[in-house]
Amino acid sequence: MKTFGYGLKQGIKNIGQNRLFSLAAIGTIATCLFLLGIFYALISNFQNMVYNAESTVGITVFFDEGISQEQIDYIKSEVEACKTVEKVNYISAEEAWENFQQEMYSENDRIEDTFDGENPLKDSASLEVYLSDVSNQESIVNLIHKIEGVRKINSSNSIAEGLTSFNTLVTYVSVSIIILLLMVSVFLISTAVATGIRVRKDEISIMKYIGATDQFIKLPFIVEGIVIGLVGAIVPLLLLWVIYDKLIRFILEHFSMLSQWLTFVDTVEEFRILIPLSFLVGIGIGFTGSVLSVRKHLKEV
Amino acid sequence: MENKESLIQMENLKVAYPMGTEALKSVSISVNKGEFLFVVGSSGSGKSTLIKTLLGEIGVTSGQLTVAGRKLNKIKRKELPYYRRMLGVVFQDFRLLEDRNIFENIALSQRVIGVSHDRIKRNVNLMLEMVGLEDKRRAHPRELSGGEQQRVAIARAMVNRPAILLADEPTGNLDPQNSWEIMDLLEEMNQLGTTVLVVTHNNEIVNQMQKRVITLNQGMVTNDIPQGGYIQ
């Protein structure tokens, strides 16, 4: 405990004494976490938009002529049981005819009388099926086709495939960039700590001569790395919060006509994950960087 | 057979550097508990290698080296810090931490072994008194003279009450008056029971102190006089 207290105190003191190295290391982590935050915001917002777009891509299931309500209920329950089916809406023939009229004609221009009160869409009752993941659309369509009483299924494979592949591409590219950034961060922080160790080479060798264990020598450097990582995380988080919040407000105010497509993740919701993620990555980089360089350089001193 | 009083035992000790240079060739020395001895010799004779080997900084190539019953041939890396706590070491260039005051420089030895805050204060103050620097506890190394800095280094080496004090050219950077003050201090530590091994070039000191003198030449012991002067 005494050793831990000493390590903590000395680690914090080291940061002050090596202001230049500490600032360089904090700057490195902050830059990486700032970029990480931007990519994370891009991915999460894009996925949010894709999710919203996916929820509008539905499958419409039509039934055989003269099918009974029991059979329709049975088909509905079978469809609902399929994996990745998120929502199933039943549209009766009456609702279909009502929707059609609303879409095609004005209130004063109803055409019910033209058909003597008959519903011309009496065989157009349907199920609207929405999936949680449109990449499964084709297999779900094949499954529904096998259910008895299903006459026809309308779906748009090209939209589903397009959204899925674009989403995958964006995720792969972003994850690759993030991994690259993390690797660069670990390298830079370990270089910064290694420089700090070289500067304090004499101190380390004196400590070794007076019987300090490796643990005792390492502790201040590890504390230093963790604190640098922590500060390096706070700075970009504050910046990102302000920028993200203002940018979303600006876009929504000035591009309101695109609001149907541009569905952003709320600032608080976005940072609910980004804050712990940044702290975890910042501390992780600081810790890993210092452990790697301390381990390597302790053997040299 | 190891002598009962023997603290350091070297038998046919051979130490070679990784490039193959043999710095010590078949050295056999026995140092008893409470002894004060000088190790002398010209540059490259193996004096510094002897100190480094005793500190566990360089490994034993062959032969035996036993310090306080611990065989250094077989010592593991993680055991070294605990072994070194039996030793105090003083260098020619003092090696004090410039960013810490005198109190903290001495206290570091105690912090390393986990001594409590109150005991550190008591022990460091006692050492400061012993080396005559009680009024300089808040000063930084650069504010002290060479002699004072070496006294701080001795206090740091002695505060944990080690069994052996190794001094590598402790007067090398000091004027004659300060050199004698340092030697008096080392003798005082010896009288308190610590075994003191001093590596030096200073023949005047060696001749006047009349202690045991071991002469090294090209990695071999050429003289071992129980009480005498400097022989090159």
Side-chain angles (χ1 to χ4, degrees), chain B residues 97-130:
Chain B
L97 299 176
E98 295 294 327
D99 62 328
R100 290 175 217 192
N101 63 28
I102 301 315
F103 183 94
E104 277 306 318
N105 263 283
I106 302 168
L108 185 65
S109 290
Q110 297 251 286
R111 294 198 199 287
V112 156
I113 59 169
V115 177
S116 73
H117 184 75
D118 288 346
R119 285 186 67 186
I120 289 177
K121 206 172 162 186
R122 201 171 57 230
N123 294 341
V124 173
N125 284 336
L126 199 72
M127 279 319 296
L128 279 166
E129 219 173 284
M130 215 169 192

Side-chain angles (χ1 to χ4, degrees), chain A residues 26-52:
Chain A
I26 289 171
T28 306
I29 293 187
T31 310
C32 288
L33 287 181
F34 185 73
L35 292 171
L36 178 111
I38 289 175
F39 280 105
Y40 175 78
L42 281 175
I43 296 174
S44 61
N45 276 287
F46 184 74
Q47 282 183 333
N48 188 47
M49 287 174 204
V50 169
Y51 179 77
N52 284 326

Side-chain angles (χ1 to χ4, degrees), chain A residues 61-67 72 91-94 96-97 119-126 151-152:
Chain A
V61 180
F62 295 100
F63 311 109
D64 289 340
E65 283 177 28
I67 194 168
I72 290 174
I91 312 288
S92 67
E94 289 71 35
W97 176 226
N119 181 356
L121 299 179
K122 65 176 187 302
D123 288 322
S124 295
S126 63
R151 172 170 53 96
K152 186 183 157 194

